mmCIF file of all heavy atoms in Angstrom:
data_model
loop_
_atom_site.group_PDB
_atom_site.id
_atom_site.type_symbol
_atom_site.label_atom_id
_atom_site.label_comp_id
_atom_site.label_asym_id
_atom_site.label_seq_id
_atom_site.Cartn_x
_atom_site.Cartn_y
_atom_site.Cartn_z
ATOM 1 N N ARG V 198 69.515 86.418 33.339
ATOM 2 C CA ARG V 198 70.815 86.894 33.042
ATOM 3 C C ARG V 198 70.757 88.028 32.074
ATOM 4 O O ARG V 198 71.489 89.087 32.214
ATOM 5 C CB ARG V 198 71.713 85.840 32.490
ATOM 6 C CG ARG V 198 72.154 84.755 33.550
ATOM 7 C CD ARG V 198 73.329 83.928 33.020
ATOM 8 N NE ARG V 198 72.908 83.181 31.820
ATOM 9 C CZ ARG V 198 72.435 81.938 31.872
ATOM 10 N NH1 ARG V 198 72.179 81.366 33.048
ATOM 11 N NH2 ARG V 198 72.090 81.289 30.743
ATOM 12 N N ALA V 199 69.941 87.957 30.992
ATOM 13 C CA ALA V 199 69.802 88.991 30.106
ATOM 14 C C ALA V 199 69.193 90.224 30.699
ATOM 15 O O ALA V 199 69.646 91.359 30.340
ATOM 16 C CB ALA V 199 68.844 88.492 28.969
ATOM 17 N N GLY V 200 68.293 90.062 31.648
ATOM 18 C CA GLY V 200 67.769 91.243 32.279
ATOM 19 C C GLY V 200 68.752 91.968 33.166
ATOM 20 O O GLY V 200 68.845 93.190 33.168
ATOM 21 N N ARG V 201 69.596 91.148 33.812
ATOM 22 C CA ARG V 201 70.630 91.692 34.648
ATOM 23 C C ARG V 201 71.673 92.398 33.890
ATOM 24 O O ARG V 201 72.132 93.509 34.180
ATOM 25 C CB ARG V 201 71.278 90.676 35.583
ATOM 26 C CG ARG V 201 70.452 90.274 36.741
ATOM 27 C CD ARG V 201 71.288 89.523 37.737
ATOM 28 N NE ARG V 201 71.805 88.131 37.137
ATOM 29 C CZ ARG V 201 71.076 87.028 37.292
ATOM 30 N NH1 ARG V 201 69.969 86.965 37.877
ATOM 31 N NH2 ARG V 201 71.660 85.892 36.768
ATOM 32 N N ARG V 202 71.928 91.880 32.698
ATOM 33 C CA ARG V 202 72.934 92.639 31.787
ATOM 34 C C ARG V 202 72.376 93.887 31.328
ATOM 35 O O ARG V 202 72.990 95.011 31.310
ATOM 36 C CB ARG V 202 73.299 91.681 30.605
ATOM 37 C CG ARG V 202 74.281 90.562 30.934
ATOM 38 C CD ARG V 202 74.872 89.974 29.663
ATOM 39 N NE ARG V 202 73.830 89.311 28.915
ATOM 40 C CZ ARG V 202 73.600 87.966 29.085
ATOM 41 N NH1 ARG V 202 74.256 87.214 29.899
ATOM 42 N NH2 ARG V 202 72.667 87.381 28.241
ATOM 43 N N ARG V 203 71.038 93.934 30.941
ATOM 44 C CA ARG V 203 70.456 95.209 30.510
ATOM 45 C C ARG V 203 70.517 96.250 31.605
ATOM 46 O O ARG V 203 70.881 97.370 31.379
ATOM 47 C CB ARG V 203 69.022 94.984 30.024
ATOM 48 C CG ARG V 203 68.966 94.365 28.620
ATOM 49 C CD ARG V 203 67.497 94.435 28.206
ATOM 50 N NE ARG V 203 66.489 93.704 29.019
ATOM 51 C CZ ARG V 203 66.222 92.483 28.848
ATOM 52 N NH1 ARG V 203 66.807 91.665 28.000
ATOM 53 N NH2 ARG V 203 65.364 91.825 29.708
ATOM 54 N N LYS V 204 70.149 95.829 32.858
ATOM 55 C CA LYS V 204 70.253 96.778 33.980
ATOM 56 C C LYS V 204 71.560 97.261 34.250
ATOM 57 O O LYS V 204 71.890 98.521 34.579
ATOM 58 C CB LYS V 204 69.619 96.107 35.211
ATOM 59 C CG LYS V 204 68.119 95.829 35.188
ATOM 60 C CD LYS V 204 67.675 95.098 36.392
ATOM 61 C CE LYS V 204 66.154 94.823 36.293
ATOM 62 N NZ LYS V 204 65.686 94.128 37.633
ATOM 63 N N ALA V 205 72.555 96.353 34.078
ATOM 64 C CA ALA V 205 73.930 96.748 34.439
ATOM 65 C C ALA V 205 74.423 97.779 33.313
ATOM 66 O O ALA V 205 75.059 98.832 33.654
ATOM 67 C CB ALA V 205 74.896 95.506 34.326
ATOM 68 N N ILE V 206 74.093 97.586 32.033
ATOM 69 C CA ILE V 206 74.468 98.585 30.972
ATOM 70 C C ILE V 206 73.787 99.899 31.205
ATOM 71 O O ILE V 206 74.481 100.897 31.104
ATOM 72 C CB ILE V 206 74.158 97.897 29.650
ATOM 73 C CG1 ILE V 206 74.997 96.772 29.376
ATOM 74 C CG2 ILE V 206 74.428 98.931 28.566
ATOM 75 C CD1 ILE V 206 74.630 95.909 28.133
ATOM 76 N N LEU V 207 72.559 99.821 31.401
ATOM 77 C CA LEU V 207 71.754 101.123 31.745
ATOM 78 C C LEU V 207 72.401 101.855 32.900
ATOM 79 O O LEU V 207 72.545 103.100 32.805
ATOM 80 C CB LEU V 207 70.257 100.791 31.866
ATOM 81 C CG LEU V 207 69.571 100.359 30.620
ATOM 82 C CD1 LEU V 207 68.102 99.944 30.987
ATOM 83 C CD2 LEU V 207 69.555 101.501 29.590
ATOM 84 N N GLY V 208 72.612 101.110 34.020
ATOM 85 C CA GLY V 208 73.127 101.753 35.170
ATOM 86 C C GLY V 208 74.529 102.312 34.929
ATOM 87 O O GLY V 208 74.841 103.463 35.345
ATOM 88 N N ALA V 209 75.370 101.593 34.182
ATOM 89 C CA ALA V 209 76.667 102.087 33.907
ATOM 90 C C ALA V 209 76.682 103.343 33.069
ATOM 91 O O ALA V 209 77.299 104.379 33.277
ATOM 92 C CB ALA V 209 77.556 101.082 33.168
ATOM 93 N N GLY V 210 75.711 103.392 32.055
ATOM 94 C CA GLY V 210 75.477 104.538 31.166
ATOM 95 C C GLY V 210 75.076 105.802 31.948
ATOM 96 O O GLY V 210 75.434 106.845 31.592
ATOM 97 N N ALA V 211 74.308 105.570 32.999
ATOM 98 C CA ALA V 211 73.910 106.664 33.736
ATOM 99 C C ALA V 211 74.927 107.207 34.825
ATOM 100 O O ALA V 211 74.614 108.122 35.527
ATOM 101 C CB ALA V 211 72.570 106.295 34.496
ATOM 102 N N GLY V 212 75.993 106.398 34.913
ATOM 103 C CA GLY V 212 77.064 106.848 35.890
ATOM 104 C C GLY V 212 76.694 106.563 37.320
ATOM 105 O O GLY V 212 77.150 107.216 38.229
ATOM 106 N N LEU V 213 75.728 105.567 37.532
ATOM 107 C CA LEU V 213 75.251 105.257 38.854
ATOM 108 C C LEU V 213 75.895 104.220 39.643
ATOM 109 O O LEU V 213 75.627 103.827 40.749
ATOM 110 C CB LEU V 213 73.787 105.140 38.883
ATOM 111 C CG LEU V 213 72.965 106.195 38.394
ATOM 112 C CD1 LEU V 213 71.406 105.855 38.364
ATOM 113 C CD2 LEU V 213 73.109 107.505 39.231
ATOM 114 N N LEU V 214 76.922 103.489 38.905
ATOM 115 C CA LEU V 214 77.476 102.280 39.557
ATOM 116 C C LEU V 214 78.836 102.615 40.238
ATOM 117 O O LEU V 214 79.646 103.398 39.767
ATOM 118 C CB LEU V 214 77.681 101.258 38.415
ATOM 119 C CG LEU V 214 76.479 100.769 37.741
ATOM 120 C CD1 LEU V 214 76.797 99.906 36.601
ATOM 121 C CD2 LEU V 214 75.620 100.017 38.823
ATOM 122 N N ILE V 215 79.114 101.935 41.270
ATOM 123 C CA ILE V 215 80.377 101.972 41.991
ATOM 124 C C ILE V 215 81.210 100.904 41.321
ATOM 125 O O ILE V 215 80.797 99.695 41.442
ATOM 126 C CB ILE V 215 80.203 101.788 43.532
ATOM 127 C CG1 ILE V 215 79.357 102.894 44.132
ATOM 128 C CG2 ILE V 215 81.615 101.759 44.134
ATOM 129 C CD1 ILE V 215 78.990 102.663 45.533
ATOM 130 N N VAL V 216 82.370 101.222 40.694
ATOM 131 C CA VAL V 216 83.198 100.302 39.904
ATOM 132 C C VAL V 216 83.456 99.036 40.628
ATOM 133 O O VAL V 216 83.228 97.985 40.076
ATOM 134 C CB VAL V 216 84.265 101.068 39.394
ATOM 135 C CG1 VAL V 216 85.221 100.076 38.591
ATOM 136 C CG2 VAL V 216 83.939 102.221 38.576
#
Side-chain angles (χ1 to χ4, degrees):
R198 288 195 298 271
R201 283 196 293 269
R202 283 195 293 267
R203 284 194 297 271
K204 290 179 182 179
I206 292 169
L207 290 173
L213 298 177
L214 297 173
I215 300 174
V216 175

